[in-house]
Amino acid sequence: MAGAGWRTFLAVGLVCGVGLLPWLTSTDPAYTVLKARSAEREPTPEVLADIRRQLGIDGGPLHVLTGWLGGLLRGDAGQSWISGSDVLPDVLRALGASLLLMAVALLVAVLTAGLICARTLRLGARRRLGGRRAGGSASAVLASLPEFLVASVLATVVGVQLGWLPALGWYGLQWTVLPALALGLPAGAVLGRLLDDLLPGAFGEPWALAAAARGLTGRSIARQALRRCVPALLPNLGLFVVGLTGGAVAVEQVFDIPGLGRTTLQAALAQDLPVLQAGTLALVLLAALATGATRVAARLLTGPALRDGALSSLHRPAPPAGGLLPLLYGLVLLAVVGLGLARDPLALDTGQRLRAPSLDHPFGTDALGRDLLARVGHGALDTLLLAAAISAAALLVGVLLGLVPRISAPLVDTVNAVPPVLVALLVTAVAGSGAATPALAVGAVAWAPLAAHTSSLLRQERATLHITATKGLGAGRVHLLRYELLPAVVPPVLRHALLRLPGVALALASLGFLGLGAQPPSPEWGLLLAENQPYAERAPWAVLAPAAVLALLGALAVSAAGGLRRRPAKPSSGTTEAAAGPERRSVAGTEQEPAGVR
């Protein structure tokens, strides 16, 4: 009951906070509504006063909010301040479009995650994971591609040039394919990397070794390994569900989809308060439903083992991956940034507009003749450093709040229901526009997936046999947290944070793409993509250059994450060696095929 009350309080607070948006901005809502209705009409004091009376906002925010809530209890969400139509049918239509798009995108994401994990599943089924090389470069590149860039490329190439699928509009299932690919491919890459990180631990558990010794097929063991690992990822899957519904604003803009994210953004920009509040409430309810469904699914998949403390740890000590790849990626990224910093990012040469890559301009030039290598290099200082700082803060906040799930779980649900674009608008309303606005907006929501992941792993780690045994030996809560729980939970969450580092950069880029981030002539990467997208067909290098550096950042993040693992403890005596024997045998069992099993 306490959790339900906390969730209700946060949801009501969020909707009420959104309801104050017109009064938090320095712009008169009546003036904004007038410009949205008729841009040519003169905003005289009489006209503005008449609009306030029509909208009923002359009584102040409390009068407007109580009136809207009272109508909502009767099933009436009010009328749009702009169009005058009923809000509820419009929001439900937008929600239906977003749910259909989300369902198809989720299917794409699951298939993508399956392809990424296929090699690990195959090797685990054959008991040959000991020779597995830590992969992930291709999936990292896929996870690092901006959704709006993927959407633009698919719409231009597949939709317009090849004519295989419709590129604009929303008239049926066929129109969902391209936007679902744009949304599902990056999301599936992230989920696939997280799942691939857990699978080796599942294949090394005693049940898997016993099943192989009894002659069960590798396919059956692989299915059970998936079932063992999926519950730890379900909270993040619930976050993806809400993100694919309300956070798909840029993709909806590219494909002209009347979804809930785009509807909410347009209502926020026009200060259409009834539509904005109804859209936000729909996202909050969807977040609550998704969270409840993932928790029920996790309990069904885990069974009584979670309650009885009979699980094994999925995060055993393992040798870290080699450091050659991250070093190589890091050197290439530093070389690109260093060469770019030596050039002038603002120098104009209209005679060199949209020039192809050459010795003078290795990345080509943009529509104003500016050197793209210079702009990418200087933009890295803003994008990479800011993304790294936000990721570090999100990791710290996510781990700390994840340790207290009773407090953080409702907060995660509420925060995740708000698209970063809407957060940026709220931050702009409160703190004003500026360079810090996108950072504050992205930082306000970036910690939520890490907190959900921490809570999920902590819940499962507390149910392991070694924690039960340690408690039986008299260990206290502080000892368990410091020496058992945190060493097992923090490394995978840290790898998750590194995996999301390109995503943070993408979120900053998305705000720049939508015009809510950096402003010209800044070389910020999101702004570079937004400025050069109209010339993608004529000069593809103009968008490929910043996209390639983002992909390089993703490959660097994933390859570096492979080195962040718990190192196996070195036994100091024969007694310690003997005590470590079962654990070592359970891990080593993943490398050798038991006798009689093929």
Side-chain angles (χ1 to χ4, degrees):
M1 290 298 294
W6 179 225
R7 281 182 169 84
T8 303
F9 173 77
L10 290 173
V12 172
L14 174 62
V15 174
C16 292
V18 169
L20 294 176
L21 181 62
W23 287 271
L24 293 174
T25 61
S26 56
T27 305
D28 185 357
Y31 177 81
T32 305
V33 171
L34 174 65
K35 288 302 178 183
R37 289 180 176 178
S38 176
E40 296 81 11
R41 193 175 180 185
E42 186 69 22
T44 62
E46 294 77 12
V47 171
L48 295 178
D50 183 59
I51 291 178
R52 294 190 192 97
R53 284 192 297 270
Q54 293 176 16
L55 301 179
I57 61 177
D58 48 357
L62 183 60
H63 172 75
V64 174
L65 185 61
T66 53
W68 183 80
L69 291 175
L72 192 64
L73 295 176
R74 302 188 300 270
D76 180 15
Q79 285 75 40
S80 169
W81 286 1
I82 306 300
S83 65
S85 61
D86 289 337
V87 168
L88 195 56
D90 293 340
V91 170
L92 290 178
R93 279 194 296 269
L95 178 61
S98 291
L99 289 178
L100 176 59
L101 177 59
M102 177 269 292
V104 182
L106 197 59
L107 177 62
V108 173
V110 171
L111 293 176
T112 304
L115 291 175
I116 291 173
C117 299
R119 180 171 174 270
T120 301
L121 287 170
R122 184 176 65 254
L123 293 177
R126 297 175 181 177
R127 318 305 300 165
R128 295 175 182 173
L129 274 177
R132 183 189 77 135
R133 282 189 173 185
S137 296
S139 59
V141 170
L142 188 59
S144 303
L145 291 177
E147 295 169 348
F148 55 84
L149 179 60
V150 177
S152 300
V153 172
L154 290 175
T156 302
V157 177
V158 180
V160 177
Q161 293 183 349
L162 299 178
W164 290 349
L165 290 167
L168 290 176
W170 189 257
Y171 304 103
L173 189 61
Q174 190 179 4
W175 278 260
T176 66
V177 176
L178 293 183
L181 287 172
L183 290 171
L185 289 175
V190 175
L191 287 174
R193 288 305 309 156
L194 294 178
L195 182 58
D196 196 63
D197 188 44
L198 294 175
L199 282 172
F203 280 114
E205 289 185 338
W207 68 263
L209 304 177
R214 293 192 63 181
L216 266 71
T217 63
R219 184 174 298 179
S220 299
I221 298 175
R223 283 200 302 266
Q224 294 302 319
L226 274 176
R227 178 175 178 176
R228 173 68 179 93
C229 296
V230 164
L233 298 181
L234 282 176
N236 273 281
L237 184 61
L239 299 185
F240 273 112
V241 166
V242 183
L244 291 175
T245 305
V249 180
V251 174
E252 291 176 354
Q253 292 274 64
V254 171
F255 289 101
D256 194 24
I257 298 174
L260 188 59
R262 185 183 180 195
T263 300
T264 306
L265 173 62
Q266 291 174 344
L269 293 174
Q271 295 192 0
D272 193 349
L273 188 57
V275 177
L276 177 59
Q277 286 179 305
T280 304
L281 182 60
L283 289 173
V284 170
L285 294 177
L286 177 64
L289 291 175
T291 301
T294 54
R295 288 182 178 175
V296 171
R299 290 180 181 178
L300 292 176
L301 289 173
T302 307
L306 187 64
R307 178 198 63 204
D308 299 337
L311 293 176
S312 297
S313 177
L314 288 173
H315 305 286
R316 293 185 176 91
L324 183 59
L325 273 181
L327 180 62
L328 178 62
Y329 293 142
L331 289 176
V332 174
L333 185 61
L334 284 176
V336 170
V337 173
L339 291 174
L341 290 176
R343 298 166 177 256
D344 186 358
L346 303 178
L348 300 177
D349 187 355
T350 54
Q352 298 290 323
R353 295 177 66 250
L354 299 177
R355 293 289 184 180
S358 62
L359 291 178
D360 292 334
H361 304 285
F363 283 3
T365 62
D366 64 6
L368 296 178
R370 294 173 297 191
D371 184 76
L372 280 173
L373 176 59
R375 294 186 65 74
V376 168
H378 284 265
L381 296 180
D382 298 328
T383 305
L384 294 182
L385 294 180
L386 191 57
I390 293 174
S391 298
L395 174 64
L396 179 61
V397 174
V399 170
L400 291 179
L401 288 179
L403 297 177
V404 282
R406 291 185 178 180
I407 297 176
S408 64
L411 194 58
V412 167
D413 299 342
T414 306
V415 167
N416 187 63
V418 187
V421 174
L422 183 55
V423 177
L425 291 174
L426 292 173
V427 170
T428 303
V430 175
S433 60
T437 298
L440 292 174
V442 174
V445 299
W447 60 270
L450 302 178
H453 196 191
T454 301
S455 298
S456 177
L457 295 179
L458 189 66
R459 189 181 304 113
Q460 293 208 21
E461 195 67 26
R462 281 173 172 167
T464 55
L465 290 171
H466 77 92
I467 294 294
T468 304
T470 307
K471 287 181 179 179
L473 294 175
R477 291 184 177 180
V478 175
H479 177 90
L480 288 174
L481 181 65
R482 181 177 178 182
Y483 295 102
E484 302 291 340
L485 297 176
L486 285 180
V489 170
V490 169
V493 177
L494 182 55
R495 293 194 294 273
H496 185 184
L498 275 176
L499 184 63
R500 284 190 174 272
L501 174 61
V504 172
L506 291 183
L508 295 171
S510 298
L511 293 179
F513 177 78
L514 294 171
L516 299 174
Q519 300 299 317
S522 170
E524 195 269 333
W525 288 353
L527 187 58
L528 290 184
L529 291 168
E531 289 175 342
N532 295 306
Q533 186 201 7
Y535 311 99
E537 187 174 354
R538 176 184 172 188
W541 55 85
V543 292
L544 288 178
V549 181
L550 275 172
L552 181 62
L553 173 63
L556 172 62
V558 172
S559 59
L564 299 174
R565 299 185 182 275
R566 297 172 64 190
R567 295 179 180 273
K570 294 183 179 180
S572 57
S573 64
T575 303
T576 308
E577 179 73 32
E583 179 74 10
R584 290 177 178 274
R585 283 193 295 271
S586 67
V587 176
T590 63
E591 303 177 6
Q592 299 178 356
E593 187 176 50
V597 179
R598 291 185 180 272

